[in-house]
Amino acid sequence: MVVDNVHLTSRSFFINMIIQKFGGTSVGSAERIKAVANLIADDTRKIVVLSAVSGTTNQLVQINKALYKQDKVAVEGLLTSFESAYNQLIQDLFISEESRLKAKSHLSGHINHIRSFTLDMFTPFEERTVLAQGELLSSSLLQLHLSEKGVKSVLIPALDFMRIDQNNEPDEWYVKSNLNRLLDAQQETKLFVTQGYICRNHFGEVDNLKRGGSDYTASIIGAAIGASEVQIWTDIDGMHNNDPRIVEKTRPIDRLTFDEAAELAYFGAKILHPSSILPARKSNIPVILKNTMHPEKPGTVISNVSSGNFIKAVAAKDGITAIKIKSDRMFLAYGFLRKVFEVFERHRISIDMITTSEVAVSLTVDSEEDLEPLLEELRLYGMVEKEVDQCIVCIVGHMIQEEPGPAARIFESLRNVPLRMISYGGSKNNVSLLIDKQYKVEALKALNQGLFQLN
Ligand code: ADP
Ligand code: ASP
Ligand code: MG
């Protein structure tokens, strides 16, 4: 009853709020943090979601490795360079000595917290606490900078409202009721700041939404408060037609549907966390990808509005394992696939691609964990072969299956690349191909030329 009231009040009050998420490079230096502060200090009511300063989470991963080894000398060395980089940032970011002292005291608090883990046993619980320090630090630095600039903001700690359930899925009800309660307590506030990536799990422990998870935080928050828009600010002017880390010439895409963006994110377009589109799609909240260095550029609008019948982008995801189950029993039998799927379900391993013939079924999984227990059970149903180091190349856009054209162009482009599996027709906006990882760069370059006439 109480929660219903809270929810009703907040929906009417916060309905026009926007979410602005800033990634690691957007807060990667004092200059960038100042630019973010200028961008967010307008009159729009908003929640700003922050990542850790770029490189920080990677450094924390290194510190965790040293902590697991109980290598105190290595931990101290890593913490010293961590501290001196942040001291420089603090020096450049703040104007007054008073603010610098406050910031340094925050920094020492985080560093001493990490150092305290050298004294006792180090487990995944402590590991996740260490990983959380990056976002805790960046958000407190931004907030201090805002207050030095005279911009009023309120920090709403992610650990007070962001939670995942026992299946590691966002606990929608918990997030919604707690976030709305926190916002309702601050009805006069226009600018809220929170941490991306970090959350609590269903035991109440500090946890996270996996690497790149701040995008997911922004979308979960957007859905929880019924925001009018979720903006993801990063170091590139929107979703490009191909992976800019791999091919030289790429171009931004103006519009994508939720489905198209979700496919690209899931199949390797690093600009978005794999699950980040799902909450926004469910609540029909547009997601806009923008460039912090060039805010004037239009970026990419992701919504339920379709934007033309053409192939829009390609992406690639490595770390794929292909599993083939070959069985004479499959021939003319029904129920065979059900049994195979049930094995995957029991092992809680999800399947990305599937192709079948009369005597075999091939599947892919992106798990790099030990697959032996799964394979052992699958052997009850036939001969099992496993191939690691595979890569899924995903072509996204509008594939008009009633008309000739797209498929021919895809295969013509890839005539020199051995194709291990092909999935076509599962949806109107995706063709997936499995290739050996060694051909990934060649495949992406060939598709850039063949489908987009680039390079
Ligand atoms: P942030 O730190 O802001 O979260 P990320 O590094 O996670 O930024 O994501 C942005 C990066 O994603 C870009 O710099 C780019 O190299 C990479 N990227 C990979 N595929 C694409 C794509 N299709 N379009 C745009 N960027 C992409
Ligand atoms: N800081 C986290 C990472 O580097 C989360 C994020 O940036 O989205 O993965
Ligand atoms: Mg990211």
Side-chain angles (χ1 to χ4, degrees):
M1 192 62 190
V2 172
V3 167
D4 278 355
N5 284 340
V6 165
H7 180 211
L8 284 176
T9 327
S10 58
R11 264 203 88 76
S12 52
F13 190 76
F14 293 106
I15 198 103
N16 288 319
M17 278 186 99
I18 64 167
I19 315 301
Q20 292 186 318
K21 175 258 168 176
F22 293 90
T25 39
S26 304
V27 290
S29 66
E31 283 320 302
R32 300 266 36 103
I33 297 177
K34 287 179 193 170
V36 167
N38 289 336
L39 265 169
I40 61 181
D42 59 11
D43 225 23
T44 332
R45 201 182 296 131
K46 60 172 69 95
I47 302 179
V48 169
V49 175
L50 280 195
S51 291
V53 168
S54 66
T56 295
T57 311
N58 287 344
Q59 286 169 317
L60 295 171
V61 168
Q62 292 311 317
I63 292 171
N64 276 339
K65 283 186 183 153
L67 282 165
Y68 268 118
K69 288 188 201 146
Q70 296 191 315
D71 185 343
K72 285 187 185 172
V73 177
V75 173
E76 219 31 70
L78 289 163
L79 283 178
T80 305
S81 56
F82 188 88
E83 187 166 22
S84 69
Y86 271 96
N87 273 330
Q88 186 60 53
L89 180 77
I90 289 169
Q91 185 62 31
D92 299 341
L93 182 60
F94 296 100
I95 303 161
S96 74
E97 246 351 274
E98 192 195 343
S99 303
R100 287 194 184 114
L101 282 176
K102 271 192 201 159
K104 281 187 183 167
S105 121
H106 279 294
L107 176 62
S108 318
H110 291 285
I111 287 182
N112 289 337
H113 192 42
I114 299 174
R115 190 175 280 124
S116 73
F117 297 130
T118 51
L119 303 174
D120 217 331
M121 234 177 58
F122 196 69
T123 71
F125 169 77
E126 284 82 17
E127 178 184 2
R128 294 189 297 256
T129 307
V130 170
L131 289 175
Q133 303 308 309
E135 272 70 12
L136 293 170
L137 197 45
S138 63
S139 55
S140 69
L141 291 179
L142 176 76
Q143 239 229 328
L144 262 174
H145 172 61
L146 287 170
S147 93
E148 192 175 55
K149 265 170 81 80
V151 177
K152 187 176 177 296
S153 67
V154 168
L155 185 80
I156 38 170
L159 298 180
D160 289 355
F161 67 87
M162 188 56 69
R163 193 167 80 163
I164 47 175
D165 62 19
Q166 60 271 42
N167 300 316
N168 291 335
E169 296 293 335
D171 185 336
E172 286 175 31
W173 182 86
Y174 182 95
V175 175
K176 199 171 194 165
S177 47
N178 284 286
L179 181 56
N180 282 307
R181 179 178 50 76
L182 291 167
L183 296 181
D184 274 349
Q186 298 284 343
Q187 300 233 348
E188 299 309 314
T189 303
K190 288 211 160 152
L191 176 55
F192 294 93
V193 177
T194 191
Q195 301 88 8
Y197 175 61
I198 63 175
C199 63
R200 291 198 184 273
N201 58 26
H202 74 295
F203 299 115
E205 299 165 347
V206 175
D207 210 320
N208 60 64
L209 302 173
K210 308 283 177 287
R211 295 304 305 269
S214 301
D215 305 327
Y216 201 17
T217 303
S219 179
I220 296 168
I221 292 180
I225 65 161
S228 54
E229 193 171 294
V230 173
Q231 299 175 359
I232 308 282
W233 290 80
T234 181
D235 59 357
I236 189 164
D237 51 347
M239 179 73 81
H240 278 221
N241 70 302
N242 203 329
D243 192 328
R245 296 166 301 175
I246 295 177
V247 301
E248 233 173 74
K249 284 194 190 141
T250 58
R251 58 172 175 247
I253 307 163
D254 301 343
R255 280 195 157 274
L256 285 170
T257 61
F258 288 122
D259 288 348
E260 290 164 346
E263 300 264 21
L264 287 168
Y266 186 72
F267 286 110
K270 189 193 173 228
I271 187 170
L272 284 172
H273 176 282
S275 307
S276 58
I277 290 298
L278 310 181
R281 172 170 66 185
K282 205 165 151 194
S283 305
N284 193 17
I285 299 169
V287 176
I288 326 285
L289 309 181
K290 295 279 288 177
N291 188 345
T292 336
M293 330 288 177
H294 293 284
E296 73 290 351
K297 300 230 167 144
T300 303
V301 178
I302 301 164
S303 69
N304 62 2
V305 179
S306 173
S307 63
N309 300 338
F310 51 92
I311 295 178
K312 295 194 184 127
V314 299
K317 181 175 169 187
D318 323 298
I320 304 292
T321 301
I323 298 168
K324 186 196 267 180
I325 307 134
K326 205 166 169 227
S327 166
D328 292 343
R329 271 178 285 163
M330 195 176 159
F331 187 64
L332 293 180
Y334 51 85
F336 180 82
L337 284 178
R338 178 180 53 78
K339 287 181 200 141
V340 168
F341 287 151
E342 276 171 0
V343 177
F344 282 83
E345 194 181 341
R346 270 197 293 283
H347 290 265
R348 302 175 65 86
I349 293 177
S350 70
I351 299 166
D352 280 336
M353 272 179 85
I354 169 163
T355 56
T356 63
S357 79
E358 219 22 67
V359 289
V361 52
S362 287
L363 308 137
T364 71
V365 298
D366 75 353
S367 170
E368 287 183 337
E369 287 159 32
D370 180 17
L371 291 172
E372 207 34 55
L374 171 98
L375 301 180
E376 195 54 48
E377 221 180 305
L378 287 174
R379 286 189 191 105
L380 296 174
Y381 301 105
M383 219 172 71
V384 175
E385 286 168 24
K386 176 183 97 165
E387 260 180 287
V388 294
D389 284 337
Q390 303 294 297
C391 167
I392 292 179
V393 173
C394 172
I395 298 123
V396 165
H398 198 89
M399 315 291 160
I400 315 157
Q401 285 147 3
E402 297 76 29
E403 289 173 23
R409 282 196 288 139
I410 293 168
F411 295 121
E412 181 52 30
S413 312
L414 295 175
R415 61 186 171 281
N416 294 323
V417 177
L419 302 180
R420 164 85 175 69
M421 279 169 72
I422 299 167
S423 169
Y424 179 78
S427 86
K428 275 200 170 173
N429 57 329
N430 172 327
V431 176
S432 299
L433 309 163
L434 187 74
I435 60 174
D436 193 290
K437 199 174 105 186
Q438 61 175 305
Y439 297 109
K440 170 177 154 177
V441 174
E442 187 181 342
L444 289 182
K445 285 186 174 167
L447 289 167
N448 216 36
Q449 173 67 261
L451 299 180
F452 307 107
Q453 290 74 53
L454 290 170
N455 277 359

